[in-house]
């Protein structure tokens, strides 16, 4: 099995910055995509940013120009640099990685436990 461990969440004032990280461990053969979702109270989980194995990135319109997703394949880690944070960014942020396990011919999606990001006014 695979475990994703997230870190970097916390409380920050509006305009501040946080850097989230998510490291995968387990019997991993390859990781072909990584991403971040978030879920605010009363709302459904939504995609924030994603990065493919080729380096192509996608961002939600609400975070373009403020958030940057990056990866370190050697460390099986994905990062989310969040700048100019707004109160509307307050949510639980979930890491996801699309992983092919050793001995398998198909890929599976794995999720982290979530890390709370709270942006105060």
């Amino acid at each position: 099995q695979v475990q994703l461990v997230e870190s970097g969440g916390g409380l920050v004032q509006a305009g501040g910055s946080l850097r989230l990280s998510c490291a995968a461990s387990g019997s991993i053969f390859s990781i072909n995509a990584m991403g971040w979702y978030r879920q605010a109270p009363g709302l459904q989980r939504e995609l924030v940013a994603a990065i493919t194995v080729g380096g192509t990135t996608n961002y939600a319109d609400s975070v373009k120009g403020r958030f940057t997703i990056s990866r370190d394949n050697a460390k099986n880690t994905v990062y989310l640099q969040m700048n100019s944070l707004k109160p509307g960014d307050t949510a639980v942020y979930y890491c996801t990685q699309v992983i092919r396990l050793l001995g398998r011919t198909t890929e599976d999606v794995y999720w982290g436990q979530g890390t709370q990001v709270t942006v105060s006014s």
Side-chain angles (χ1 to χ4, degrees):
Q1 297 294 328
V2 172
Q3 181 179 5
L4 304 184
V5 179
E6 302 178 25
S7 63
L11 175 64
V12 65
Q13 294 181 347
S17 298
L18 288 173
R19 183 176 174 85
L20 307 183
S21 64
C22 172
S25 61
S27 56
I28 299 170
F29 178 77
S30 64
I31 303 174
N32 67 355
M34 302 176 176
W36 292 91
Y37 285 72
R38 67 185 181 187
Q39 187 168 21
L43 300 178
Q44 293 189 338
R45 190 174 301 184
E46 61 182 356
L47 177 67
V48 177
I51 185 167
T52 69
V53 66
T56 301
T57 57
N58 291 313
Y59 295 94
D61 289 340
S62 60
V63 307
K64 287 181 178 178
R66 300 188 297 120
F67 291 9
T68 302
I69 188 170
S70 61
R71 58 183 170 85
D72 186 337
N73 290 335
K75 298 180 179 180
N76 295 335
T77 300
V78 61
Y79 305 93
L80 186 67
Q81 179 66 47
M82 304 185 293
N83 299 326
S84 301
L85 283 162
K86 305 174 181 179
D89 296 319
T90 296
V92 177
Y93 284 71
Y94 297 90
C95 168
T96 183
Q97 299 194 27
V98 182
I99 298 173
R100 187 185 302 275
L101 300 180
L102 291 172
R104 291 178 61 91
T105 59
T106 58
E107 61 192 21
D108 298 288
V109 180
Y110 293 87
W111 293 87
Q113 80 284 357
T115 184
Q116 177 70 46
V117 172
T118 302
V119 184
S120 65
S121 301

